[in-house]
Amino acid sequence: MERSADRAAQKILRLSQEMGRETAWDRFLAQKPQCRFGEKGLCCRVCAMGPCRIVEGKAARGVCGATADTIAARNLARMIAAGAAAHSDHGRDVAKTLLLASQDSDYRVKDPVKLRRVAYSLGVDAAGKDDLALAKEVAERCLGEFGRQEGELRLALRAPEARVERWRKLGIMPRGIDREIVEVLHRTSIGVDADYRNIVLQGMRCALADGWGGSMIATELQDVLFGTPSPLRARVNLGVLNPKAVNIVVHGHEPTLSEMVVLAARDPDLLRQARAKGAEGINIAGICCTANEILMRHGIPIAGNFLHQELAVMTGAVDLMVVDVQCIMPALSDLARHFHTILVTTSPKAKIPGAEHIEFEEERALQVAKEIVRMGIENFSRRNGKIYIPNEVMDLIAGFAAESVFYFLGGRYRATYRPLNDAIIDGRLRGIAGIVGCNNPKITQDFAHVEMAKELIKNDVLVVTTGCAAIADAKAGLLRPEVAYELAGKGLQEICEAVGIPPVLHLGSCVDNSRILIALTNMVHEGGLGEDISAIPAAGAAPEWMSEKAVAIAFYFVASGVFTVLGNPFPIEGSENLTRFLTEEIEKLVGGKFAFETDPIRAAHLMLEHIERKRQALKLPAPMYA
Ligand code: SF4
Ligand code: MSK
């Protein structure tokens, strides 16, 4: 119970101990005590005069003279750059896939309306162009945004005018996506930028290039290619694995692969082959964000979030796990060897020793996906050990997007954010909160996500969620409309009842945090809540974050004006100046700031206090049901 709040995880963890199989939790214990220099951000190894450590009373500077402030800021900025690179490289691949879709390939433009909307934002003239011609131009324009050398990132101009002006004044309006990442790496190499504030500003510029660039391109073009999500029902947790079917688990991030696996699993020939092997059918289930992608668009069940990846294999029921990029534990290949599970890597960017590698080439996407599914079918008959699937499974509603989610609040025939803004203005809702991010064995799995969400909805705050946080809330049943009657405050309850939505709304994968940026911008444009994102009674949190991508996300939210609470602190504790800058001073510059709080209830109250301050600044009445 200390390791996970999820009963399915608790059961498999008990089993893992009986079997003598280790998990991330065991490896975390083996790592303890973790390096204090690393934790505090006081270790530098950017040049060969080092590695250097700042030791109080002994060494206040590295060999080159870099201080604790410089070293901690450089390390942090590099985390932002790596996170932004991961999201943005994903975005680049989606843009290349859209280019492919404009030619003859297995991909199609599924949402031509969205294609036209994105074209407009990019300044592409859509008049008189058919979908394929326009898709080509949009894809090329997006690819151009990665290598843009001068000027401003087109999609960042979607932000409210006041926000863009602020970025311009601060000199952090993002230029090309790749350029900002490269500049962080340049500035943080030996003997370049030594001013922690200046380093953080470039870090924010790079993060903005992710949120309003790479990630936004990924989300928008995925919607164009695979369809903009709309609400649907689905199921979640390890209980979605089917002992009688071929179980194929997709894990990673890019729907270019998982969409094709879903398609392949519906192929009549392959279904026949599966039945010939004695299976009931082919069951696709997801882990991490690629799971969120196919959940949002097809209602494909989710087996679990980040810390569930090893647990899924340990059920003995996974015939094949296919992975692409990001958040895939290298430990999986060794673990899979002890079961009958085949682990298949597919990206040239992410190979794992011991795994089968089948390169996923977008040019023959469906063919490769079929090959992988066929491998899973073959492996079904090689099941040799005991199967134990915990019976935990939960219903949920997912599939909300910036276009659809708040429009529901306007009723079926009023496509507007007005009712959402009005609900906040009249105090029925206090505000909105985003809960995003990962699992981390340092924190009881899902506990912080779920408790924070419960505390916020109890206080009439509408919660939007993405990534592994969304899966955590789903497993706990918070993504069901009926939960509003049990757990939400009266104001939020009234809204959920009127519209039929859950009090916690699933907005998608990690790159889909860009949907939250768009939703906040739409709220500003709707009027009545100030001229900038920073004026809105809203807050964000990543209570169980672990990935560098979460650092980039947190920074683009703060740089966009959102107060953001993190469960684990950034590794910067060794620099008082940097900590003060990020948790206090930065607010004057960008309107957002950070707080670090491990206790999810206390963290939720920090968010509530912030929301209240924003309500007062807007001179809104006291909450209706205080
Ligand atoms: Fe040490 Fe400076 Fe080199 Fe870092 S850059 S390893 S502090 S000498
Ligand atoms: S998968 S980045 S563990 S949210 Fe996007 Fe989950 Fe975090 Fe990976």
Side-chain angles (χ1 to χ4, degrees):
M1 284 168 77
E2 218 173 80
R3 291 183 167 197
S4 178
D6 175 343
R7 279 182 55 79
Q10 290 166 6
K11 288 178 182 173
I12 298 284
L13 283 169
R14 221 169 288 135
L15 188 72
S16 76
Q17 273 162 7
E18 284 162 26
M19 291 188 299
R21 298 279 159 253
E22 66 167 35
T23 62
W25 286 275
D26 301 306
R27 293 188 293 273
F28 170 60
L29 268 188
Q31 285 294 331
K32 277 176 119 175
Q34 287 181 309
C35 171
R36 286 297 287 152
F37 293 100
E39 267 178 356
K40 291 180 165 191
L42 293 181
C43 168
C44 182
R45 49 181 182 76
V46 304
C47 89
M49 292 189 285
C52 300
R53 312 182 288 188
I54 302 301
V55 186
E56 217 184 316
K58 179 172 175 265
R61 290 172 180 267
V63 177
C64 67
T67 61
D69 298 338
T70 307
I71 290 173
R74 287 197 305 214
N75 290 340
L76 187 64
R78 284 186 168 219
M79 290 181 89
I80 299 173
H87 282 150
S88 300
D89 216 28
H90 171 168
R92 186 196 327 268
D93 281 348
V94 181
K96 281 158 80 181
T97 308
L98 182 63
L99 194 58
L100 214 60
S102 71
Q103 300 145 15
D104 187 25
S105 81
D106 294 330
Y107 298 98
R108 299 274 173 276
V109 169
K110 267 220 186 112
D111 189 342
V113 176
K114 180 120 190 193
L115 173 66
R116 274 157 214 276
R117 204 175 304 135
V118 178
Y120 175 78
S121 296
L122 288 164
V124 174
D125 182 8
K129 287 176 192 149
D130 66 20
D131 290 349
L132 291 189
L134 189 58
K136 180 171 186 287
E137 218 173 306
V138 164
E140 283 168 350
R141 186 67 64 92
C142 285
L143 288 169
E145 292 295 276
F146 289 90
R148 180 193 272 279
Q149 296 303 308
E150 296 302 335
E152 298 174 335
L153 208 58
R154 255 332 273 222
L155 292 178
L157 295 167
R158 281 175 153 186
E161 228 173 278
R163 180 69 11 200
V164 171
E165 270 318 306
R166 212 190 256 251
W167 290 338
R168 283 181 183 144
K169 261 195 213 124
L170 283 170
I172 61 169
M173 184 68 187
R175 300 156 293 185
I177 300 160
D178 293 349
R179 175 169 182 187
E180 301 307 352
I181 295 166
V182 166
E183 192 165 314
V184 169
L185 295 180
H186 175 195
R187 286 210 207 181
T188 55
S189 62
I190 161 77
V192 188
D193 203 345
D195 178 340
Y196 67 92
R197 290 191 190 89
N198 208 36
I199 293 168
V200 168
L201 284 173
Q202 175 55 25
M204 284 199 285
R205 195 177 204 178
C206 176
L208 289 171
D210 173 4
W212 296 88
S215 279
M216 199 170 279
I217 287 173
T219 296
E220 299 293 74
L221 300 193
Q222 282 168 185
D223 284 355
V224 168
L225 280 165
F226 308 122
T228 303
S230 59
L232 41 67
R233 286 188 181 280
R235 295 177 318 138
V236 64
N237 217 339
L238 292 173
V240 305
L241 296 172
N242 180 348
K244 294 182 183 156
V246 176
N247 288 307
I248 295 179
V249 171
V250 290
H251 173 21
H253 278 76
E254 296 184 356
T256 38
L257 166 69
S258 51
E259 281 277 335
M260 287 297 144
V261 173
V262 170
L263 213 58
R266 291 174 183 159
D267 180 84
D269 263 356
L270 290 173
L271 283 167
R272 249 192 309 277
Q273 286 176 34
R275 280 193 287 270
K277 294 276 176 196
E280 253 180 17
I282 303 168
N283 181 37
I284 306 292
I287 299 261
C288 278
C289 279
T290 207
N292 284 322
E293 300 282 4
I294 50 176
L295 163 79
M296 296 284 283
R297 298 190 178 90
H298 303 284
I300 299 292
I302 293 196
N305 45 5
F306 178 67
L307 281 174
H308 263 44
Q309 55 188 288
E310 291 176 289
L311 310 183
V313 173
M314 280 191 247
T315 62
V318 177
D319 300 298
L320 186 141
M321 183 182 275
V322 55
V323 302
D324 51 26
V325 289
Q326 301 171 20
C327 302
I328 301 145
M329 292 191 192
L332 281 174
S333 71
D334 202 37
L335 181 67
R337 276 196 304 112
H338 294 285
F339 297 83
H340 82 296
T341 308
I342 300 177
L343 178 70
V344 178
T345 55
T346 54
S347 167
K349 297 172 198 166
K351 295 188 178 181
I352 301 177
E356 295 265 353
H357 186 77
I358 300 180
E359 197 119 327
F360 183 70
E361 292 151 20
E362 275 89 350
E363 291 77 8
R364 42 180 217 103
L366 191 55
Q367 200 185 327
V368 179
K370 282 184 182 173
E371 198 181 317
I372 292 168
V373 171
R374 200 171 296 119
M375 258 175 109
I377 295 170
E378 288 298 321
N379 202 35
F380 175 80
S381 41
R382 287 192 214 108
R383 284 187 186 178
N384 46 17
K386 249 178 74 186
I387 288 182
Y388 175 66
I389 301 174
N391 53 9
E392 271 72 22
V393 57
M394 183 58 78
D395 293 327
L396 66 112
I397 293 197
F400 296 95
E403 289 85 346
S404 62
V405 54
F406 300 113
Y407 288 175
F408 285 96
L409 298 167
R412 206 171 289 269
Y413 305 105
R414 271 181 79 199
T416 164
Y417 272 59
R418 193 69 251 155
L420 172 67
N421 284 23
D422 284 347
I424 293 174
I425 290 167
D426 68 22
R428 198 171 303 268
L429 283 182
R430 283 174 199 247
I432 70 166
I435 305 181
V436 309
C438 324
N439 289 143
N440 184 331
K442 289 179 177 173
I443 295 166
T444 304
Q445 184 194 15
D446 296 353
F447 175 77
H449 290 308
V450 172
E451 294 309 311
M452 177 181 279
K454 283 186 188 165
E455 191 64 17
L456 290 166
I457 62 173
K458 185 173 102 186
N459 283 286
D460 290 323
V461 172
L462 179 67
V463 171
V464 294
T465 180
T466 62
C468 289
I471 302 175
D473 289 343
K475 286 189 286 174
L478 300 182
L479 268 52
R480 297 170 304 143
E482 54 269 35
V483 88
Y485 304 108
E486 299 155 29
L487 300 176
K490 198 158 178 327
L492 179 55
Q493 215 176 82
E494 285 171 3
I495 285 169
C496 293
E497 191 182 351
V499 193
I501 54 169
V504 180
L505 302 174
H506 191 332
L507 258 64
S509 64
C510 304
V511 290
D512 293 339
N513 284 311
S514 61
R515 296 194 200 278
I516 303 179
L517 296 176
I518 295 296
L520 291 168
T521 302
N522 289 348
M523 288 171 76
V524 171
H525 289 152
E526 192 61 55
L529 291 174
E531 297 302 310
D532 195 355
I533 292 173
S534 54
I536 299 175
E544 300 181 27
W545 76 277
M546 63 85 199
S547 161
E548 288 161 320
K549 289 177 288 174
V551 181
I553 294 165
F555 266 94
Y556 70 63
F557 272 109
V558 165
S560 299
V562 181
F563 171 63
T564 302
V565 189
L566 301 179
N568 276 325
F570 287 137
I572 56 166
E573 234 187 300
S575 164
E576 268 177 39
N577 287 332
L578 179 59
T579 306
R580 195 179 325 107
F581 183 56
L582 294 179
T583 55
E584 295 173 29
E585 296 158 13
I586 205 174
E587 193 173 21
K588 282 198 193 74
L589 301 179
V590 290
K593 65 174 179 177
F594 291 100
F596 307 125
E597 176 54 65
T598 317
D599 183 298
I601 304 294
R602 276 207 295 270
H605 281 274
L606 291 176
M607 296 160 85
L608 285 163
E609 282 159 24
H610 173 83
I611 285 172
E612 193 45 44
R613 271 196 298 278
K614 292 295 165 182
R615 293 189 64 85
Q616 282 172 11
L618 288 167
K619 301 198 172 26
L620 299 181
M624 206 176 268
Y625 301 106

